Every structure is written in C-alpha cells, then in structure tokens.
mmCIF file of all heavy atoms in Angstrom:
data_model
loop_
_atom_site.group_PDB
_atom_site.id
_atom_site.type_symbol
_atom_site.label_atom_id
_atom_site.label_comp_id
_atom_site.label_asym_id
_atom_site.label_seq_id
_atom_site.Cartn_x
_atom_site.Cartn_y
_atom_site.Cartn_z
ATOM 1 N N ALA R 158 44.985 231.191 163.443
ATOM 2 C CA ALA R 158 44.536 230.040 164.239
ATOM 3 C C ALA R 158 43.055 229.748 164.088
ATOM 4 O O ALA R 158 42.494 228.950 164.835
ATOM 5 C CB ALA R 158 44.854 230.279 165.716
ATOM 6 N N THR R 159 42.393 230.388 163.129
ATOM 7 C CA THR R 159 40.976 230.130 162.907
ATOM 8 C C THR R 159 40.782 228.734 162.325
ATOM 9 O O THR R 159 41.471 228.338 161.377
ATOM 10 C CB THR R 159 40.375 231.159 161.934
ATOM 11 O OG1 THR R 159 40.511 232.463 162.494
ATOM 12 C CG2 THR R 159 38.890 230.873 161.694
ATOM 13 N N VAL R 160 39.842 227.981 162.900
ATOM 14 C CA VAL R 160 39.493 226.666 162.379
ATOM 15 C C VAL R 160 38.015 226.678 162.018
ATOM 16 O O VAL R 160 37.166 227.100 162.814
ATOM 17 C CB VAL R 160 39.768 225.553 163.405
ATOM 18 C CG1 VAL R 160 39.271 224.205 162.882
ATOM 19 C CG2 VAL R 160 41.261 225.480 163.714
ATOM 20 N N ILE R 161 37.699 226.277 160.811
ATOM 21 C CA ILE R 161 36.318 226.171 160.349
ATOM 22 C C ILE R 161 35.916 224.699 160.392
ATOM 23 O O ILE R 161 36.632 223.845 159.868
ATOM 24 C CB ILE R 161 36.157 226.682 158.902
ATOM 25 C CG1 ILE R 161 36.731 228.094 158.745
ATOM 26 C CG2 ILE R 161 34.690 226.640 158.481
ATOM 27 C CD1 ILE R 161 36.026 229.134 159.545
ATOM 28 N N THR R 162 34.800 224.404 161.026
ATOM 29 C CA THR R 162 34.242 223.057 161.010
ATOM 30 C C THR R 162 32.990 223.087 160.153
ATOM 31 O O THR R 162 32.163 223.991 160.282
ATOM 32 C CB THR R 162 33.893 222.576 162.428
ATOM 33 O OG1 THR R 162 35.079 222.564 163.223
ATOM 34 C CG2 THR R 162 33.307 221.170 162.397
ATOM 35 N N LEU R 163 32.870 222.145 159.234
ATOM 36 C CA LEU R 163 31.689 222.098 158.370
ATOM 37 C C LEU R 163 31.120 220.694 158.358
ATOM 38 O O LEU R 163 31.831 219.720 158.578
ATOM 39 C CB LEU R 163 32.014 222.562 156.951
ATOM 40 C CG LEU R 163 32.909 221.692 156.081
ATOM 41 C CD1 LEU R 163 32.076 220.713 155.247
ATOM 42 C CD2 LEU R 163 33.748 222.552 155.152
ATOM 43 N N ALA R 164 29.818 220.603 158.108
ATOM 44 C CA ALA R 164 29.149 219.303 158.018
ATOM 45 C C ALA R 164 27.991 219.389 157.038
ATOM 46 O O ALA R 164 27.369 220.444 156.879
ATOM 47 C CB ALA R 164 28.633 218.855 159.389
ATOM 48 N N LEU R 165 27.720 218.281 156.366
ATOM 49 C CA LEU R 165 26.528 218.144 155.542
ATOM 50 C C LEU R 165 25.603 217.173 156.258
ATOM 51 O O LEU R 165 26.018 216.073 156.638
ATOM 52 C CB LEU R 165 26.886 217.614 154.148
ATOM 53 C CG LEU R 165 27.777 218.517 153.290
ATOM 54 C CD1 LEU R 165 28.005 217.881 151.912
ATOM 55 C CD2 LEU R 165 27.173 219.910 153.138
ATOM 56 N N LEU R 166 24.339 217.584 156.450
ATOM 57 C CA LEU R 166 23.358 216.815 157.208
ATOM 58 C C LEU R 166 22.172 216.495 156.302
ATOM 59 O O LEU R 166 21.475 217.399 155.830
ATOM 60 C CB LEU R 166 22.880 217.616 158.420
ATOM 61 C CG LEU R 166 23.971 218.317 159.243
ATOM 62 C CD1 LEU R 166 23.341 219.182 160.331
ATOM 63 C CD2 LEU R 166 24.920 217.306 159.848
ATOM 64 N N ALA R 167 21.958 215.219 156.036
ATOM 65 C CA ALA R 167 20.908 214.789 155.117
ATOM 66 C C ALA R 167 19.591 214.558 155.838
ATOM 67 O O ALA R 167 19.527 213.837 156.829
ATOM 68 C CB ALA R 167 21.331 213.512 154.396
ATOM 69 N N HIS R 168 18.509 215.186 155.342
ATOM 70 C CA HIS R 168 17.165 215.056 155.906
ATOM 71 C C HIS R 168 16.160 214.852 154.786
ATOM 72 O O HIS R 168 16.470 215.019 153.611
ATOM 73 C CB HIS R 168 16.754 216.338 156.645
ATOM 74 C CG HIS R 168 17.549 216.662 157.849
ATOM 75 N ND1 HIS R 168 18.804 217.225 157.791
ATOM 76 C CD2 HIS R 168 17.264 216.519 159.174
ATOM 77 C CE1 HIS R 168 19.260 217.420 159.021
ATOM 78 N NE2 HIS R 168 18.354 216.999 159.870
ATOM 79 N N GLU R 169 14.937 214.513 155.175
ATOM 80 C CA GLU R 169 13.804 214.739 154.289
ATOM 81 C C GLU R 169 13.603 216.257 154.258
ATOM 82 O O GLU R 169 13.915 216.957 155.237
ATOM 83 C CB GLU R 169 12.547 214.050 154.816
ATOM 84 C CG GLU R 169 12.652 212.529 154.884
ATOM 85 C CD GLU R 169 12.705 211.880 153.511
ATOM 86 O OE1 GLU R 169 12.135 212.453 152.562
ATOM 87 O OE2 GLU R 169 13.323 210.804 153.396
ATOM 88 N N LYS R 170 13.090 216.786 153.163
ATOM 89 C CA LYS R 170 12.989 218.228 153.015
ATOM 90 C C LYS R 170 12.195 218.882 154.141
ATOM 91 O O LYS R 170 12.595 219.918 154.681
ATOM 92 C CB LYS R 170 12.367 218.588 151.660
ATOM 93 C CG LYS R 170 12.353 220.091 151.385
ATOM 94 C CD LYS R 170 11.798 220.397 150.006
ATOM 95 C CE LYS R 170 11.776 221.908 149.754
ATOM 96 N NZ LYS R 170 11.212 222.215 148.411
ATOM 97 N N GLY R 171 11.072 218.285 154.523
ATOM 98 C CA GLY R 171 10.247 218.864 155.585
ATOM 99 C C GLY R 171 10.987 218.939 156.908
ATOM 100 O O GLY R 171 10.850 219.913 157.661
ATOM 101 N N ASP R 172 11.794 217.913 157.200
ATOM 102 C CA ASP R 172 12.567 217.924 158.434
ATOM 103 C C ASP R 172 13.654 218.991 158.392
ATOM 104 O O ASP R 172 13.932 219.656 159.398
ATOM 105 C CB ASP R 172 13.196 216.552 158.677
ATOM 106 C CG ASP R 172 12.185 215.512 159.131
ATOM 107 O OD1 ASP R 172 11.048 215.906 159.488
ATOM 108 O OD2 ASP R 172 12.517 214.316 159.127
ATOM 109 N N ALA R 173 14.279 219.153 157.242
ATOM 110 C CA ALA R 173 15.308 220.184 157.100
ATOM 111 C C ALA R 173 14.705 221.570 157.347
ATOM 112 O O ALA R 173 15.319 222.421 157.996
ATOM 113 C CB ALA R 173 15.933 220.115 155.714
ATOM 114 N N GLU R 174 13.504 221.802 156.842
ATOM 115 C CA GLU R 174 12.835 223.085 157.057
ATOM 116 C C GLU R 174 12.510 223.297 158.529
ATOM 117 O O GLU R 174 12.630 224.423 159.053
ATOM 118 C CB GLU R 174 11.565 223.148 156.204
ATOM 119 C CG GLU R 174 11.856 223.203 154.700
ATOM 120 C CD GLU R 174 10.602 223.073 153.850
ATOM 121 O OE1 GLU R 174 9.575 222.557 154.362
ATOM 122 O OE2 GLU R 174 10.647 223.482 152.674
ATOM 123 N N LYS R 175 12.133 222.225 159.247
ATOM 124 C CA LYS R 175 11.849 222.329 160.682
ATOM 125 C C LYS R 175 13.103 222.711 161.468
ATOM 126 O O LYS R 175 13.046 223.509 162.404
ATOM 127 C CB LYS R 175 11.296 220.999 161.209
ATOM 128 C CG LYS R 175 9.889 220.666 160.745
ATOM 129 C CD LYS R 175 9.454 219.295 161.277
ATOM 130 C CE LYS R 175 8.068 218.924 160.762
ATOM 131 N NZ LYS R 175 7.673 217.562 161.229
ATOM 132 N N VAL R 176 14.230 222.130 161.076
ATOM 133 C CA VAL R 176 15.477 222.456 161.758
ATOM 134 C C VAL R 176 15.804 223.938 161.577
ATOM 135 O O VAL R 176 16.196 224.624 162.531
ATOM 136 C CB VAL R 176 16.632 221.581 161.224
ATOM 137 C CG1 VAL R 176 17.970 222.051 161.802
ATOM 138 C CG2 VAL R 176 16.397 220.119 161.581
ATOM 139 N N MET R 177 15.661 224.442 160.377
ATOM 140 C CA MET R 177 15.947 225.855 160.117
ATOM 141 C C MET R 177 15.007 226.764 160.904
ATOM 142 O O MET R 177 15.443 227.772 161.483
ATOM 143 C CB MET R 177 15.830 226.146 158.616
ATOM 144 C CG MET R 177 16.850 225.421 157.750
ATOM 145 S SD MET R 177 18.569 225.844 158.127
ATOM 146 C CE MET R 177 18.643 227.540 157.522
ATOM 147 N N ASP R 178 13.726 226.422 160.959
ATOM 148 C CA ASP R 178 12.767 227.209 161.740
ATOM 149 C C ASP R 178 13.157 227.224 163.213
ATOM 150 O O ASP R 178 13.087 228.258 163.890
ATOM 151 C CB ASP R 178 11.351 226.633 161.591
ATOM 152 C CG ASP R 178 10.756 226.900 160.215
ATOM 153 O OD1 ASP R 178 11.266 227.786 159.504
ATOM 154 O OD2 ASP R 178 9.770 226.212 159.859
ATOM 155 N N GLY R 179 13.598 226.059 163.707
ATOM 156 C CA GLY R 179 14.002 225.969 165.101
ATOM 157 C C GLY R 179 15.212 226.827 165.418
ATOM 158 O O GLY R 179 15.287 227.466 166.472
ATOM 159 N N LEU R 180 16.183 226.836 164.518
ATOM 160 C CA LEU R 180 17.366 227.656 164.719
ATOM 161 C C LEU R 180 17.031 229.144 164.711
ATOM 162 O O LEU R 180 17.521 229.907 165.553
ATOM 163 C CB LEU R 180 18.406 227.352 163.634
ATOM 164 C CG LEU R 180 19.127 226.008 163.737
ATOM 165 C CD1 LEU R 180 19.936 225.749 162.472
ATOM 166 C CD2 LEU R 180 20.034 225.972 164.968
ATOM 167 N N ARG R 181 16.195 229.567 163.779
ATOM 168 C CA ARG R 181 15.810 230.976 163.715
ATOM 169 C C ARG R 181 15.093 231.410 164.990
ATOM 170 O O ARG R 181 15.364 232.481 165.551
ATOM 171 C CB ARG R 181 14.922 231.232 162.490
ATOM 172 C CG ARG R 181 15.700 231.671 161.255
ATOM 173 C CD ARG R 181 14.752 232.157 160.168
ATOM 174 N NE ARG R 181 13.872 231.081 159.740
ATOM 175 C CZ ARG R 181 14.142 230.263 158.728
ATOM 176 N NH1 ARG R 181 15.262 230.389 158.060
ATOM 177 N NH2 ARG R 181 13.298 229.313 158.391
ATOM 178 N N THR R 182 14.165 230.563 165.462
ATOM 179 C CA THR R 182 13.412 230.888 166.675
ATOM 180 C C THR R 182 14.340 230.954 167.884
ATOM 181 O O THR R 182 14.238 231.849 168.724
ATOM 182 C CB THR R 182 12.313 229.842 166.926
ATOM 183 O OG1 THR R 182 11.411 229.844 165.811
ATOM 184 C CG2 THR R 182 11.542 230.147 168.197
ATOM 185 N N ALA R 183 15.280 230.019 167.969
ATOM 186 C CA ALA R 183 16.200 229.980 169.101
ATOM 187 C C ALA R 183 17.111 231.202 169.132
ATOM 188 O O ALA R 183 17.396 231.751 170.208
ATOM 189 C CB ALA R 183 17.028 228.704 169.059
ATOM 190 N N THR R 184 17.574 231.651 167.984
ATOM 191 C CA THR R 184 18.452 232.817 167.978
ATOM 192 C C THR R 184 17.712 234.079 168.418
ATOM 193 O O THR R 184 18.335 235.023 168.915
ATOM 194 C CB THR R 184 19.060 233.059 166.581
ATOM 195 O OG1 THR R 184 18.013 233.238 165.615
ATOM 196 C CG2 THR R 184 19.918 231.881 166.153
ATOM 197 N N LYS R 185 16.375 234.097 168.281
ATOM 198 C CA LYS R 185 15.578 235.238 168.719
ATOM 199 C C LYS R 185 15.221 235.157 170.202
ATOM 200 O O LYS R 185 15.179 236.179 170.895
ATOM 201 C CB LYS R 185 14.291 235.329 167.888
ATOM 202 C CG LYS R 185 14.505 235.635 166.415
ATOM 203 C CD LYS R 185 13.178 235.638 165.667
ATOM 204 C CE LYS R 185 13.366 235.894 164.184
ATOM 205 N NZ LYS R 185 12.072 235.843 163.442
ATOM 206 N N ASN R 186 14.958 233.940 170.692
ATOM 207 C CA ASN R 186 14.429 233.772 172.055
ATOM 208 C C ASN R 186 15.454 233.334 173.095
ATOM 209 O O ASN R 186 15.190 233.403 174.294
ATOM 210 C CB ASN R 186 13.282 232.758 172.032
ATOM 211 C CG ASN R 186 12.125 233.211 171.167
ATOM 212 O OD1 ASN R 186 11.921 234.404 170.954
ATOM 213 N ND2 ASN R 186 11.365 232.259 170.647
ATOM 214 N N CYS R 187 16.596 232.865 172.650
ATOM 215 C CA CYS R 187 17.607 232.341 173.581
ATOM 216 C C CYS R 187 18.732 233.355 173.748
ATOM 217 O O CYS R 187 19.336 233.792 172.762
ATOM 218 C CB CYS R 187 18.157 231.020 173.048
ATOM 219 S SG CYS R 187 19.539 230.357 174.006
#
C-alpha cells in the first residue's frame, strides 16, 4: 500500500539552493 508522490519544481538556480538550505536548517531545528 505504499504510495510515492513525486514532483519536479523549476527555479532559478539561486532560489533552488535557498530552498535546499531552508530544508536542511528546518530538519535540524524543527
């Protein structure tokens, strides 16, 4: 019953890097 959801999200490169930094920080602090 496992369901995988996937998405491709298009950004400018700098914005994509900001999103990744935000996710890493959140997984440490949240």
Side-chain angles (χ1 to χ4, degrees):
T159 299
V160 175
I161 307 296
T162 300
L163 69 92
L165 296 182
L166 315 175
H168 295 78
E169 297 291 331
K170 185 177 179 181
D172 286 347
E174 292 172 339
K175 289 178 183 177
V176 172
M177 296 299 290
D178 288 342
L180 288 170
R181 267 191 298 268
T182 299
T184 58
K185 294 177 182 178
N186 298 334
C187 174

